[in-house]
Amino acid sequence: MIRRFLTIFSIIMLFVSGYSTAQRKEYKSWNPAKDTLNVIQGRSWESGFKSGYDRLPAAAEKNVRKAVWGLSENSSGLYMQFRTNAEEIVVKFKVTGGMAMPHMPATGVSGVDLYSKNIDGKWLWCAGRYSFGDTVSYRFVNLAGKDQHVDDREYRLYLPLYNTVKWMEISVPKEAKFKPLPVRKEKPIVVYGTSIAQGACASRPGMAWTSILGRKLDRSMVNLGFSGNGKLEPEVLDFVTQIDAKLFVLDCLPNLTGGIGDAMLNQKIVDAVRQIQKKRPGTPILMVEHDGYTDGEMQPLRKKDYEAVNRVLKSAIDSLIKSGVKGLYLLSKEEIGHDIESMVDGTHPNDLGMMRYAEAYEKKIKSIFNEPQGTVSTMIPVTQRRDASSYDWETRHQEVLDYGKANQPELVLVGNSILHYWGGEPASSRAKGKDAWTKYFAEGKAMNMGFGWDRIENVLWRIYHGELDEISPKKIILMIGTNNLDYNTDEEIVQGLKFLLDVIKVRKPAADVILMGILPRRKMEQRIAGLNKKIAAIAIGKRLKYADAGKLFLKPAKEIDESLFSDGLHPNAVGYEKLGNFINQQIKKY
């Protein structure tokens, strides 16, 4: 009887094993450190590293203190970006240090963190099943492979905050699409700081304040926080200043309390500012006060320490500004706004504290960059990726930056696909009115800054990210808003246009700006006619011109003339001829 049972059991197990093998998924894996693309985001050196996930180049090992070098091997602030339609993503890696600390969980010290940015620029978080052992593994399952009408999703994977990654593989099912994304070509915000900047004590890598801030500003961040060793050292600053940064942040005071003395601290601050400005003149510097201790009222000596260094910092900044130093800013303890609930141990922020840090930095940096933000969607800058079939939105953004800098256009036309698919440079894969563009704009050194599917808020992001910064056009044509019609009220569209125009005029006060009315489109003729009256009112009392080409595209019955359109929205060649002539006449009159 027992023998018969064992025989039956063996047959069942063989069947189950065979079935399992037949059903076993096949995966393909990606090793970011071995990719020929520059894919490790969050550092500004493309090569010269001792190991794949170091934060400082190998040359630093002989120049900075041993403690700093060891911490630079931690992968804090590094991340990879990729696109995939996979419903399952598996991340496996090995780290060299301990998994957790008494005041910080393994998920922050040694874990990874996965986010997705949807096609409308909104950040989403992905929960994963994790296992910490000789090999750390994260498995993200049942993911939504599509994003509305786009057939994949964009992901950002943050690396461990307080551990050294020895190797890593990211795997998806064999049949899934997978595309690594190269490092974005923009000047980063560079943070030189302490354990707080490195990420202590965030519960997971995406909750470090530099990571939160990077998502809030949608900008590249370089995290050079060194736990206990952010001391404004010239040897470290030598490497900091190798980076062509948009902003330098010096947040080192928590490592400079007690024993150093006011005079020496003052000299360190002054020397650090001078060192940066000598190598990177004109780049703004944000100095940050000690954020205090949440047990300060119960520990008078500790409170005395941070109050003392903050006084020295304020005094040093005042003296530097009086001596003629420009581009120097201060983020105060009060602006950071910690309270008794926002720290783990009285010193290091918990996730609430990290969020307060990020929000304080966001407000200050937007002020420094002169990048205000409104309260409705048309006044909040975001990216978009709604048309993945014909071009990559951020790739076109880089093409516009490169073309503008190289060609210095005198006329720029800013807008959506109606402009993008017209003609001109940077060239699109589609050109429905190329002859008309050449006829009316070719001799005027014109540049096409139209992007397919763009809304007002997408143009705002592009302006904030440099599309007008390195050019000096004499005239700017703005025609945007039709893609907002299905998402926003008329009032929100008008508010967004007012906001965007102010942003443009601040950056290019000498340029003549022509604000175009929204072209009529099928089944929206009446609404657009009413909306354009409100848009026309924006120009009253302002140094800009309003022009509405709508009548050229309407029949007497106020419906669109279909013979001028390819699809009820985009003009055809005949329509672009009419639009080109109209805009050209407006330019001559202005």
Side-chain angles (χ1 to χ4, degrees):
M1 186 69 181
I2 294 175
R3 184 178 299 172
R4 183 183 177 190
F5 172 79
L6 290 175
T7 301
I8 294 171
F9 179 77
S10 299
I11 292 171
I12 291 172
M13 291 305 294
L14 283 170
F15 175 80
V16 171
S17 176
Y19 178 81
S20 177
T21 301
Q23 295 298 310
R24 188 175 298 141
K25 285 185 180 179
E26 292 188 45
Y27 294 85
K28 56 186 177 185
S29 298
W30 174 53
N31 185 327
K34 293 184 178 181
D35 200 304
T36 55
L37 285 175
N38 180 23
V39 296
I40 311 298
Q41 314 260 357
R43 61 188 184 188
S44 287
W45 296 271
E46 290 190 16
S47 59
F49 294 97
K50 184 176 179 180
S51 298
Y53 302 99
D54 289 350
R55 290 184 289 153
L56 288 176
E61 185 173 11
K62 295 181 180 179
N63 292 277
V64 302
R65 288 186 298 108
K66 184 177 180 180
V68 173
W69 172 253
L71 289 162
S72 77
E73 294 179 299
N74 294 168
S75 55
S76 180
L78 303 187
Y79 59 93
M80 280 82 68
Q81 296 193 154
F82 53 87
R83 290 178 186 155
T84 182
N85 62 351
E87 296 180 3
E88 179 183 10
I89 299 172
V90 180
V91 184
K92 292 184 178 181
F93 57 100
K94 192 176 185 68
V95 293
T96 61
M99 292 297 174
M101 291 189 257
H103 62 328
M104 188 173 176
T107 49
V109 172
S110 307
V112 294
D113 211 358
L114 187 65
Y115 284 74
S116 177
K117 184 201 263 190
N118 76 2
I119 61 174
D120 293 313
K122 180 181 178 181
W123 287 103
L124 308 169
W125 180 71
C126 307
R129 303 170 187 170
Y130 47 82
S131 173
F132 291 87
D134 182 58
T135 297
V136 183
S137 68
Y138 273 70
R139 188 177 297 272
F140 303 89
V141 298
N142 299 321
L143 298 169
K146 291 186 64 176
D147 190 353
Q148 298 180 44
H149 61 274
V150 176
D151 66 354
D152 62 5
R153 288 183 174 269
E154 185 170 311
Y155 290 92
R156 175 176 294 187
L157 182 73
Y158 292 99
L159 301 190
L161 296 172
Y162 265 83
N163 222 322
T164 300
V165 177
K166 188 173 181 180
W167 63 264
M168 172 174 285
E169 283 187 347
I170 299 169
S171 302
V172 297
K174 188 176 181 179
E175 68 276 7
K177 296 192 334 185
F178 187 90
K179 180 184 178 181
L181 299 180
V183 171
R184 183 189 282 176
K185 295 180 180 178
E186 69 173 5
K187 292 183 178 182
I189 296 170
V190 179
V191 179
Y192 175 26
T194 68
S195 56
I196 298 168
Q198 185 169 342
C201 290
S203 64
R204 44 188 176 82
M207 288 305 297
W209 71 257
T210 56
S211 299
I212 299 171
L213 182 63
R215 294 193 300 276
K216 282 179 170 290
L217 297 177
D218 203 4
R219 291 192 177 275
S220 300
M221 304 286 299
V222 174
N223 185 326
L224 295 177
F226 304 113
S227 187
N229 288 275
K231 297 186 177 183
L232 296 180
E233 295 169 291
E235 297 84 2
V236 177
L237 286 164
D238 280 341
F239 288 91
V240 170
T241 56
Q242 288 179 16
I243 303 171
D244 186 12
K246 187 170 180 67
L247 172 72
F248 291 105
V249 176
L250 301 181
D251 191 353
C252 291
L253 287 197
N255 287 164
L256 291 169
T257 58
I260 187 173
D262 290 0
M264 184 177 291
L265 176 58
N266 182 81
Q267 193 62 51
K268 271 186 169 288
I269 294 167
V270 171
D271 289 347
V273 171
R274 299 291 188 193
Q275 186 174 350
I276 291 174
Q277 292 202 322
K278 182 178 180 180
K279 186 70 177 290
R280 298 292 176 183
T283 303
I285 302 170
L286 175 59
M287 309 289 293
V288 185
E289 286 189 350
H290 193 307
D291 61 332
Y293 304 114
T294 50
D295 63 343
E297 296 300 323
M298 297 299 295
Q299 298 285 339
L301 293 179
R302 277 158 60 84
K303 183 178 180 183
K304 183 179 178 182
D305 280 345
Y306 72 71
E307 289 178 340
V309 296
N310 285 347
R311 280 195 300 270
V312 173
L313 178 62
K314 285 180 179 176
S315 176
I317 290 175
D318 287 344
S319 296
L320 285 164
I321 292 174
K322 287 177 182 177
S323 71
V325 172
K326 299 185 183 303
L328 192 57
Y329 302 88
L330 174 68
L331 180 65
S332 69
K333 174 184 178 297
E334 288 71 29
E335 288 172 301
I336 295 169
H338 283 309
D339 61 28
I340 61 171
E341 312 297 350
S342 60
M343 290 187 186
V344 172
D345 53 6
T347 303
H348 299 97
N350 54 27
D351 287 351
L352 173 61
M354 288 291 181
M355 186 61 72
R356 288 187 180 162
Y357 247 106
E359 289 171 347
Y361 270 103
E362 178 190 18
K363 184 177 180 180
K364 180 65 68 171
I365 291 172
K366 283 181 176 177
S367 174
I368 294 171
F369 292 169
N370 195 8
E371 295 179 358
Q373 177 174 302
T375 57
V376 298
S377 65
T378 53
M379 301 160 67
I380 301 172
V382 291
T383 59
Q384 61 102 334
R385 196 170 71 90
R386 290 180 282 270
D387 188 4
S389 60
S390 61
Y391 72 102
D392 182 274
W393 192 84
E394 288 207 29
T395 298
R396 177 156 176 84
H397 169 62
Q398 189 60 47
E399 290 171 351
V400 166
L401 292 174
D402 294 342
Y403 184 86
K405 185 176 181 181
N407 294 275
Q408 290 302 308
E410 296 178 1
L411 167 68
V412 296
L413 289 86
V414 183
N416 49 49
S417 57
I418 294 172
L419 295 181
H420 184 194
Y421 300 141
W422 187 346
E425 296 288 341
S428 165
S429 59
R430 311 177 199 174
K432 298 180 179 180
K434 189 174 182 180
D435 291 343
W437 182 282
T438 303
K439 178 180 178 180
Y440 293 109
F441 305 130
E443 294 183 3
K445 293 191 69 177
M447 182 169 74
N448 187 329
M449 283 174 55
F451 283 50
W453 293 82
D454 255 18
R455 301 175 190 157
I456 296 166
E457 56 266 31
N458 305 134
V459 176
L460 183 62
W461 187 98
R462 295 197 277 123
I463 301 303
Y464 281 173
H465 286 253
E467 289 191 8
L468 293 179
D469 287 359
E470 297 194 59
I471 60 175
S472 299
K474 295 178 181 179
K475 297 189 185 294
I476 299 172
I477 311 295
L478 178 65
M479 187 166 67
I480 192 70
T482 194
N483 290 322
N484 291 91
L485 290 169
D486 288 332
Y487 301 90
N488 297 103
T489 65
D490 289 1
E491 182 58 33
E492 288 171 340
I493 292 171
V494 171
Q495 284 182 302
L497 285 170
K498 284 181 180 178
F499 194 84
L500 179 58
L501 285 163
D502 287 342
V503 166
I504 291 172
K505 292 300 288 185
V506 164
R507 281 158 176 74
K508 297 298 160 190
D512 294 330
V513 177
I514 299 177
L515 172 63
M516 299 288 295
I518 297 173
L519 288 187
R521 57 189 291 182
R522 186 185 297 148
K523 297 183 179 181
M524 288 192 176
E525 295 93 339
Q526 186 174 351
R527 179 186 175 189
I528 291 172
L531 175 56
N532 279 342
K533 291 179 181 179
K534 298 175 184 177
I535 293 174
I538 295 174
I540 298 173
K542 292 192 175 183
R543 199 172 67 82
L544 59 90
K545 178 181 177 64
Y546 173 76
D548 185 0
K551 292 180 180 179
L552 301 176
F553 292 85
L554 293 172
K555 292 180 176 181
K558 306 299 183 182
E559 295 178 349
I560 66 167
D561 184 345
E562 295 282 357
S563 70
L564 302 177
F565 291 86
S566 61
D567 55 5
L569 169 63
H570 299 90
N572 56 23
V574 179
Y576 277 123
E577 165 65 30
K578 287 182 173 288
L579 184 60
N581 182 54
F582 179 84
I583 293 176
N584 189 52
Q585 293 302 315
Q586 302 305 313
I587 291 171
K588 288 179 179 179
K589 293 176 184 177
Y590 196 3

